[in-house]
């Protein structure tokens, strides 16, 4: 198994910043308790409060994929439907 880093950028719609932030915050404790989760840190841009970033480290891609199928992520998607302007996710590998 090789460690996987995830960088996820979430941009909330301007009228939905607090909703998206609240729903993202709900993911933290549950995810940190999941098998394979090393780090799961949420950031908010100081100059653009609509921009959120998750920086995550997982023991393996397989364990991260299990996380992606969990109910709390489905609940987040349902709660924020129509509130997110854009979402990008990058799978990264430490090289140095």
């Amino acid at each position: 198994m090789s460690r996987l880093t995830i960088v996820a950028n979430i941009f909330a719609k301007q009228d939905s910043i607090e909703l998206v932030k609240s729903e993202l915050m709900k993911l933290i404790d549950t995810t940190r308790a999941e098998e394979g989760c090393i780090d799961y840190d949420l950031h908010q841009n100081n100059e653009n409060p609509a921009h959120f970033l998750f920086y995550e480290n997982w023991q393996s891609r397989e364990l991260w994929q299990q996380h992606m199928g969990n109910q709390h992520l489905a609940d987040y998607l349902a709660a924020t439907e129509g509130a997110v302007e854009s979402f990008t996710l990058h799978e990264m590998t430490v090289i140095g």
Side-chain angles (χ1 to χ4, degrees), residues 6-41:
I6 299 294
V7 178
N9 286 282
I10 303 103
F11 286 86
K13 292 184 177 177
Q14 287 299 317
D15 62 348
S16 300
I17 293 171
E18 290 305 315
L19 167 69
V20 172
K21 181 178 180 177
S22 172
E23 293 300 321
L24 290 170
M25 296 289 290
K26 291 178 185 179
L27 299 174
I28 295 171
D29 289 340
T30 303
T31 299
R32 286 180 177 165
E34 288 179 53
E35 180 185 1
C37 181
I38 299 168
D39 300 306
Y40 192 77
D41 298 323

Side-chain angles (χ1 to χ4, degrees), residues 16-87:
S16 300
I17 293 171
E18 290 305 315
L19 167 69
V20 172
K21 181 178 180 177
S22 172
E23 293 300 321
L24 290 170
M25 296 289 290
K26 291 178 185 179
L27 299 174
I28 295 171
D29 289 340
T30 303
T31 299
R32 286 180 177 165
E34 288 179 53
E35 180 185 1
C37 181
I38 299 168
D39 300 306
Y40 192 77
D41 298 323
L42 178 63
H43 304 266
Q44 187 173 22
N45 188 313
N46 293 338
E47 295 180 10
N48 179 2
H51 178 202
F52 300 93
L53 180 141
F54 264 119
Y55 180 81
E56 313 170 28
N57 285 294
W58 293 86
Q59 290 176 353
S60 70
R61 186 171 194 275
E62 293 74 24
L63 291 170
W64 170 70
Q65 287 182 311
Q66 287 178 21
H67 155 73
M68 292 301 290
N70 283 339
Q71 185 61 47
H72 60 282
L73 284 176
D75 293 344
Y76 159 79
L77 290 172
T80 61
E81 186 174 349
V84 173
E85 187 72 39
S86 69
F87 171 79

